[in-house]
Amino acid sequence: MEVTIVIPNYNGKHFMKPCLDSLACQTFTDFKVLVVDNASTDGSPDYMKEHYPDIEVIALNKNYGFSRAVNEGIRHADTPYVILLNNDTTVDAHYVGELVRAIRRSPRIFSVSSKMVQMYHPDLIDSAGDLYTLIGWGICRGSGRPVTNYTEPSVIFTACAGAAIYRRSVFDKIGYFDENHFAYLEDIDIGYRARIYGYRNIYSPTALVYHVGSGTSGSKYNSFKVKLSARNSVWLNYKNMPFLQLLLNILPLAAGYCIKYLFFLKTGFGKDYREGISEGLQTLKKQKKVPFRFLHLPNYFMIELELIINTFSYARDWFTRKLFRK
């Protein structure tokens, strides 16, 4: 087998049939499916055993979160490539084949992000890969844009781990998903780390995925998600930026956190965001920084440049949407 598709699951039994049935219709068939269950209480393991007995399931003894679940799957895999796929998705018949074709292009490609389309609004994009900015915001590229956009392959900052393929051997060099994150921003964190080591992340517009979105957490914004995302954003910057880069970016980062706080204050999640930032700062010393190596200095310069470009690109896009919205 060339590919292992790892599907993390937590109380997502109602998503499994459409997701797995779409995988059964792939034109590229050199893959196997592995479900990692985070101690679901909705009968997911029994459902899999009854309806999909040929699919291997790793049942964890408690809910360890997304990062631990996918790490279990990646370590268990024995294939050159691993696809991470959210359970609240269905995929196009050419999905797996297109991802494999894209990642085969170069051994320096760590990940390939698919074109994620909103399940209930198939005329709109959910994600065309992730960007990261100087103000510490992760951006779902193309989110809410017409599906006719982002039709060309391109280099991106990181892949969205909800539907992406990864070169398994690279994890042994750069490390696995940070299990301290539990969930949220762990994909930007590992993609950022891969960039430091000189690997690339790219986007494939022909690998189509239809995504419900927030299938496990339940909503775009909630107390749990806001708090974890805030905490993880502090860790992400601390771990991946050397001291001098943090010092250089301290003002735009502070501005980004202030703007986000005001936004969440307005939407009723100000306390959760504040608590997440506080927890992130208090636990910094427990986080493992990416070791600084002079060999990687050109990569840090390129990353800094991209953070600046992404910030201005996002600002232009935001103002354009506000200016021309009906």
Side-chain angles (χ1 to χ4, degrees), residues 102-130:
I103 201 169
R104 281 175 178 167
R105 289 174 184 160
S106 169
R108 301 307 298 173
I109 296 174
F110 170 55
S111 69
V112 181
S113 201
S114 59
K115 186 171 189 176
M116 301 179 76
V117 178
Q118 296 182 24
M119 180 81 77
Y120 302 127
H121 300 280
D123 57 326
L124 299 177
I125 294 172
D126 185 55
S127 173
D130 288 339

Side-chain angles (χ1 to χ4, degrees), residues 10 36-41 58-64 68 72:
Y10 177 66
V36 183
D37 188 83
N38 260 320
S40 294
T41 57
I58 296 177
L60 304 181
N61 62 353
K62 68 175 184 179
N63 183 11
Y64 290 100
R68 170 70 180 271
E72 293 283 347

Side-chain angles (χ1 to χ4, degrees), residues 154-165:
S154 57
V155 175
I156 54 175
F157 195 79
T158 63
C160 173
I165 191 169

